[in-house]
Every structure is written in structure tokens, then in C-alpha cells.
Amino acid sequence: MAAPQFKNPVVRWIDYRLPIFTQLNHEYNEYPMPKNCNYLWSFGAIAMVVLITMIVSGITLAMNYTPHTAYAFNSVERIMRDVNFGWLIRYIHMNGASMFFIAVFIHIFRGLYFGSYKAPREILWMLGVVILLLMMATAFMGYVLPWGQMSFWGATVITNLFSAFPIIGDHIVTWLWGGFSVDNPTLNRFFALHYLLPFVLLGVVFLHVAAVHVHGSNNPVGIDIKGPQDSLPFHPYFTIKDTFGLGVFMIIFAGFVFFAPNFMGHPDNYIPANPLVTPAHIVPEWYFLPFYAILRAVPDKLGGVLAMFGAIAVLFVVPWLDTSKVRSANYRPLYRQFFWVLVVACILLGYAGSQPAEGIWLIVARVASIYYFAHFLIILPLLGKLERPRPLPASISEPVLKGGGRLATAAAAKPMEKA
Amino acid sequence: MSDTTHPAGGGGQGGHEGEGATRRDFLYLATGAVAAVGVASVAWPFIDSMNPAADTLALAQIDVDLSPIQVGQSITVTWRGKPVFIRRRTEEEIAAAASVNLAELRDPAPDSARVQQPQWLVMVGICTHLGCVPLGQKSTDPKGDYGGWFCPCHGSHYDTAGRIRRGPAPLNLALPEYAFLTDTSIRVG
Ligand code: HEM
Ligand code: FES
């Protein structure tokens, strides 16, 4: 791919010294995308836009927010009532966190379904898991900032998880708090870190995107691009497709912000933090519920904590646990079914996490937790050996061009649907 | 050239060559060790700055007047940002706490080790599971299956000496350091 000839002399002057325009053209204009990528491939770009939205809304919130136990709650209420468009900015930030997790969860399950973590994309996948961890840390600390009852007790319960570690546990917790309970020093450091981590996140996202562009995107068929007939330039084909997907996503996002801004929140967080009274029913934000359910499913404190962290740690090694050479679940009849069982298990875990840990929901949480780990640690390694994949097409375009009647007509019908 | 910049790894060379490689290895190790110690000693002040500050530690003592508390009543005071439960126990509660068979306790402790004066039970009111404040201070609160305290977060039951009896918490409610200043006042911390 030769350097493009830019007409604008200023652009040419800069590009000769710092080839950012060549780089941009290379990565976002002529960059070859597999032409069969569907809308599930839009969620990376969507997540990126949500991250930028979080940073912009976060910085403007920070200009009116006071990180002190005596003022934090009231400063957020002032943002809601007195600051120009404060209500909008805060609701964007609050719901943006949820939308971020929705986009990233879909993005991750997309990767699991189409085997996007397989060689040569292992590092890309692991950077993705790092992004998930950073997001969770950022969202957890952000939720503490408004200093409501859920902020305080969520912070207390989650930081206390570290006390489960023998000997050093209590020292870690005191160190995290900067005191003997969640208090002003804790709020201050959480604010500092909540401001910092999104920029660290941005850095890791940059590496993640750089890693995608080394070998290109995976695609629904899961085989490599064999030639020019298999790909389309990123611009305009995928810029338009991603923009359309983003538009639909943003309509849903705006729907929450304007019509149900507290739907995903918890009313107790509009009560100022009180260190002497625990709310009757503490639940974390919805995006933590599956992990919370795993924590509570284990009847031992340290065991529960290890299982919860293990649930994410296991994702790091998925590229090596899955022994099948075939990427896409579309060609793996058995894996495809187990994939959906995993999805159901995760949803059940999420629901069980929102219920009191007793009776039927405790049992559901236990069964689903066992399946979660079994899926990755037992089923994935075995399936690669036992399963007989369906034959893969010779190339990405083969199913479309030769006798792929169903796909071809579907593709032709698309423009008419939109017209 | 290559002999000096890339120490020979394989054997079979002259004694001089082998010696050079050893010195080079030593230099690598020494440089690495100096860097590691340097980084660790520079990192420590930053890490330690996140531990409790001097004023946080200084706030760590309070005096409590016990005289207004009637038999069977509890009060909650704040110490180090945490609730401290002070209960003037009834005769029945003391008897119930003393009669427990220690072998059936998860975190065995006789009642006498839990109090300085049997009447006064002083504990940190923080569940040893994940840090919620157990219920049982108010007369209308649920007190759990053992008549002491009940943590609603994940269902831990504590008895009338604050010992864990059922539920996920691993330990008894913690005892703060305290001393009787007079018969009716204590200093916590
Ligand atoms: C990865 C991106 C981010 C996520 C997932 C995130 C998440 C959150 C969450 C869940 C809350 C609690 C909202 C509520 O219930 O009120 C929050 C609050 C807050 N965040 Fe962020 N945040 C992000 C980026 C940022 C950035 C870059 C800043 C810039 C300083 C920021 C500043 C704030 C402030 C000041 C608050 C307190 C005001 C409030 O509670 O509405 N956030 N954040
Ligand atoms: S915090 Fe009390 S039972 Fe979990």
C-alpha cells in the first residue's frame, strides 16, 4: 500500500514530517474489511464513541463536583437542579456507564461466538479483557462519588472483599480506605482514580485497535481474507454501516436519558450515605450482578472472592482453552449450542445476583456458576477434540457468489428495506 | 567486537572468554538489582501515603458515658468512622451467652473473653463477612436466631455475646480496645 498523494499542500507538508494522514488513510479509509461483517461488528466503534461520551460528560461533571463526604451528595444534587444542563450531563454519564457495558458485553459475546480470540488475535483478545477490568474498576469508583447509601455500602462491601485474603487482607483494606472505614480519604482517592482510569482505558483501547489492524477483523465465516474480492475498503462501506448502527444505539441511549433516566439505577442512592445504617437490600449496578452472584454462590468467603475474580481471569486464557481450529460457531454445530447455554447461564446469574441469596435463586446461582466455569475449563477444551465441524467455504465470497442463493438475495434485498 | 558486545554463551572457549562472560553477567545482575531496590524504595512513599494519615490515627479515641443506658438497652457510637455497639445486657442474655457449648462455635470464645464486665458488651458493629452493620440495636430490630444481632446483607446471625452462629461471616464481631475510666464511663481506642 503506497503512500497516498494528498492534494492539500499543508497536509503534504505535515505528512512528510509526521505521517499521520498516511496513517489515518491506511487505517480508516482504504483499510480492507471482510465484506461479510454484520452489525455485530459495529459494537467496537460504538463502545469507542461511548467512551468519548463518558470522558466529555465526566470532565464537565468534575467541574461542578466536590469530592468531600460533607459536600459530594449536595454537589451532585446541585448539578441536577442548578447547573445549566447539569441534569442532562449527569444522566448521560449515569446511563452512559450502563450503555458502555451493554456495548462491551455484546462485543465480547460476538468474539466468543465467532472465535475472534483465536490465532493470531490472542493479544487483541487479552487487551480486551484488560479493558473490561479497567471499565469495572472505573464504574465501581464512579458509583461511589455521589455518596449516596448505595455508593457507601457498595464501596464497603466490595473493598471488604479483599479482607478475605489471609494475613495481609486487613492491611490491604485499610490501605485501600486510607482509614478504618470508607470515609473522606477513600472518596478522595476514588475521585482521583476515577478521573485517571478512563485515560488509561483510552491508551489500552488504542493498543487494542492497533492490534486489530495488524491482521484485520475476523468475520462471520471466520476464515481469512483470501484476496481483494473478499474485502471492501473501510470507508465508505463500514464507516456508513457503523454510523447507522451507532445511530440506532444512540436512539436507545437517548431513550433512557430522556424517558427513564433512573431505570437502571437504584433509589437508595438518592439517600445520603449513612455509615451507621445499612440499607436492607444491597445490590450492585446491573453490570456487576453476574459476578456478584458467583461471589455469593460459594459458601466460603475466600472461595467466593477467588471464584469472582476467577470468572474474569478465565477469559484471559480462552484462546488456549478452545482447542478447535475452526473460528466461527456457524461451522461448529455443538459449540454453537453450548455458546447459547453460556449466554443463558450469564443472564440467570445476573438475575440471581439481584435477588436475596437464598432458596431457589441460590441454587440457580450455584448451577449457573458451575456451568460458567465448566464451559471454559472443560467443554471448550473437549469440544475441539470431539466436535466435527461443518466444511468451511473456500473463501469469504464463495458462499455469496456460487450458489449461495439465500445469502445473495438477502444482500440484494437490504437496500430496498431501507428505501 | 562480537566477543565484547555479545558474551559467548557456549563452552569450549578459552578461560579468558569465559571469565569475560561471567563479569558481564555479574554486571547485568548488579544493575538489575540496583534498579529493583531503587524502584522499590522510591515506590514505598507513594504506596504508604495511601495508608491512614496521622490525623486519621489521632481521631482514634473516644470517651463514652454509660450512665443513661438502661438494662436491655443498646447505644451505637462512632469510633474511627465505624459504629461501636454498647449493650447493657440482661441477666437472661448473660446466662444464655455463658451457657453455650464452645465446641459448637465457629470462632470459639467463652463469654468471659468477650466482656470486661458481664453487664457491658462493647463491640465493633461491623459484620465480619463484608462489612454491613447488623440489626439488633433497636428493640424493634430483628435479632436473629440467637437473640443477638442479625446482618441483613447475607444473613449472618450473632448471639448475645456477638459471636457468629450462622451465616457466611467467618468471625465473631470484633472487640475494640477499651478501658473503664469509672464504673459508668469507658474510653474506646
Ligand atoms: C470509562 C468511562 C467512565 C465510566 C464507566 C464512568 C462511570 C461513572 C458512574 C457509574 C458514575 C455514577 C453516576 C451516578 O450514579 O451518579 C460516575 C460518576 C462520576 N464520574 Fe464517571 N465514568 C467514566 C468516566 C469519567 C471521566 C473521564 C470523568 C472525568 C473526570 C468522570 C467524572 C465523574 C464524576 C465527577 C462523577 C460524579 C457525579 C455523578 O455521580 O453524577 N467520569 N461515573
Ligand atoms: S455483610 Fe453481613 S452477612 Fe454479608
Side-chain angles (χ1 to χ4, degrees):
Chain A
M1 280 162 221
Q5 272 307 302
F6 297 107
K7 292 209 181 69
N8 186 320
V10 179
V11 169
R12 241 190 350 242
W13 188 90
I14 296 175
D15 202 68
Y16 184 67
R17 285 153 182 86
L18 181 70
I20 44 173
F21 295 101
T22 301
Q23 190 74 24
L24 278 177
N25 175 62
H26 182 55
E27 302 294 354
Y28 294 102
N29 183 27
E30 61 180 15
Y31 175 74
M33 276 291 282
K35 64 181 179 186
N36 56 339
C37 281
N38 58 35
Y39 276 110
L40 287 172
W41 267 260
S42 295
F43 282 91
I46 289 173
M48 183 71 200
V49 172
V50 180
L51 175 60
I52 305 288
T53 309
M54 293 307 282
I55 289 180
V56 172
S57 59
I59 291 176
T60 40
L61 280 175
M63 293 178 186
N64 284 293
Y65 169 80
T66 316
H68 188 287
T69 50
Y71 305 102
F73 188 87
N74 289 342
S75 76
V76 173
E77 284 309 301
R78 181 177 160 272
I79 291 173
M80 295 297 292
R81 292 155 202 243
D82 295 340
V83 174
N84 300 333
F85 289 105
W87 59 272
L88 179 64
I89 299 173
R90 175 165 184 250
Y91 279 157
I92 287 175
H93 200 75
M94 245 171 87
N95 289 281
S98 288
M99 298 312 285
F100 200 10
F101 277 95
I102 291 175
V104 167
F105 284 154
I106 294 176
H107 192 67
I108 293 174
F109 278 110
R110 187 279 318 255
L112 286 173
Y113 186 87
F114 294 106
S116 303
Y117 47 82
K118 292 186 191 182
R121 297 187 180 84
E122 299 94 327
I123 292 188
L124 166 62
W125 171 262
M126 291 163 80
L127 286 169
V129 183
V130 172
I131 291 172
L132 177 65
L133 278 173
L134 283 171
M135 278 174 67
M136 296 175 94
T138 307
F140 162 64
M141 292 195 250
Y143 194 61
V144 177
L145 301 184
W147 208 243
Q149 273 288 66
M150 280 297 167
S151 302
F152 183 89
W153 291 103
T156 299
V157 168
I158 300 298
T159 48
N160 262 311
L161 291 179
F162 291 91
S163 71
F165 294 105
I167 305 169
I168 51 166
D170 287 331
H171 297 283
I172 298 180
V173 175
T174 306
W175 178 73
L176 289 173
W177 288 340
F180 303 105
S181 59
V182 173
D183 208 335
N184 202 45
T186 326
L187 179 58
N188 264 288
R189 63 190 56 187
F190 278 18
F191 182 53
L193 292 175
H194 185 70
Y195 208 132
L196 168 71
L197 286 188
F199 295 93
V200 177
L201 201 52
L202 203 59
V204 182
V205 169
F206 181 81
L207 292 179
H208 184 78
V209 173
V212 185
H213 283 217
V214 177
H215 291 283
S217 297
N218 185 25
N219 62 78
V221 177
I223 59 178
D224 293 331
I225 292 174
K226 299 273 160 62
Q229 75 285 358
D230 286 345
S231 74
L232 287 169
F234 193 77
H235 182 74
Y237 295 95
F238 285 90
T239 41
I240 292 301
K241 187 161 183 163
D242 284 353
T243 307
F244 180 74
L246 178 69
V248 174
F249 187 85
M250 284 296 167
I251 290 173
I252 299 170
F253 187 172
F256 278 115
V257 168
F258 291 105
F259 297 103
N262 291 303
F263 179 75
M264 293 183 280
H266 202 288
D268 277 89
N269 221 27
Y270 286 99
I271 303 170
N274 180 353
L276 299 186
V277 179
T278 309
H281 187 39
I282 304 188
V283 272
E285 292 283 83
W286 69 266
Y287 35 82
F288 293 133
L289 287 175
F291 303 100
Y292 192 59
I294 292 178
L295 166 77
R296 298 189 306 177
V298 182
D300 173 76
K301 184 165 158 182
L302 182 60
V305 172
L306 291 178
M308 187 180 73
F309 288 127
I312 297 183
V314 73
L315 294 177
F316 274 107
V317 287
V318 164
W320 293 276
L321 291 174
D322 186 344
T323 49
S324 170
K325 293 272 174 291
V326 177
R327 290 198 190 108
S328 171
N330 284 346
Y331 298 90
R332 299 185 58 190
L334 289 178
Y335 173 69
R336 184 159 62 181
Q337 295 172 31
F338 285 110
F339 169 86
W340 288 111
V341 179
L342 179 72
V343 172
V344 171
C346 289
I347 293 172
L348 281 178
L349 278 174
Y351 192 77
S354 72
Q355 300 299 311
E358 55 201 24
I360 178 75
W361 290 113
L362 187 57
I363 298 169
V364 169
R366 289 196 172 144
V367 173
S369 299
I370 291 171
Y371 181 78
Y372 182 93
F373 285 104
H375 179 93
F376 291 113
L377 296 175
I378 300 171
I379 298 175
L380 278 192
L382 283 185
L383 270 191
K385 310 251 183 318
L386 303 178
E387 180 181 55
R388 184 174 232 260
R390 297 206 289 121
L392 289 169
S395 77
I396 289 175
S397 38
E398 189 211 43
V400 187
L401 298 182
K402 285 195 217 131
R406 198 176 59 84
L407 277 176
T409 42
K414 265 224 169 103
M416 278 166 54
E417 266 169 34
K418 281 187 203 155
Chain B
M1 253 299 273
S2 72
D3 281 348
T4 48
T5 51
H6 305 287
Q13 303 220 8
H16 176 75
E17 294 283 323
E19 202 177 85
T22 319
R23 279 189 198 165
R24 186 63 58 101
D25 288 348
F26 175 75
L27 276 180
Y28 280 135
L29 281 176
T31 319
V34 168
V37 172
V39 167
S41 54
V42 169
W44 177 246
F46 296 98
I47 295 171
D48 194 36
S49 76
M50 288 174 68
N51 271 319
D55 63 335
T56 313
L57 292 170
L59 288 177
Q61 265 192 352
I62 51 158
D63 293 348
V64 188
D65 177 14
L66 303 180
S67 53
I69 309 173
Q70 305 295 315
V71 174
Q73 263 188 348
S74 306
I75 63 163
T76 306
V77 295
T78 313
W79 171 67
R80 290 175 162 188
K82 300 179 188 191
V84 168
F85 290 172
I86 303 176
R87 179 164 181 85
R88 187 166 178 182
R89 296 192 294 179
T90 62
E91 288 302 327
E92 300 82 72
E93 285 169 354
I94 298 172
S99 66
V100 172
N101 173 8
L102 293 191
E104 66 186 50
L105 293 178
R106 184 176 303 168
D107 179 11
D111 188 51
S112 56
R114 307 276 306 157
V115 289
Q116 294 182 12
Q117 296 184 8
Q119 203 179 20
W120 295 105
L121 179 62
V122 181
M123 309 180 294
V124 176
I126 300 231
C127 180
T128 57
H129 181 226
L130 293 176
C132 293
V133 179
L135 298 171
Q137 287 293 89
K138 292 199 208 100
S139 55
T140 50
D141 279 350
K143 292 182 187 300
D145 294 351
Y146 297 85
W149 286 264
F150 171 69
C151 181
C153 288
H154 318 93
S156 289
H157 299 254
Y158 296 92
D159 68 13
T160 55
R163 291 172 297 200
I164 180 67
R165 301 299 290 273
R166 178 180 300 164
L171 299 174
N172 302 335
L173 291 179
L175 304 177
E177 263 177 48
Y178 69 96
F180 278 88
L181 301 174
T182 66
D183 272 353
T184 55
S185 73
I186 56 170
R187 170 169 294 165
V188 184

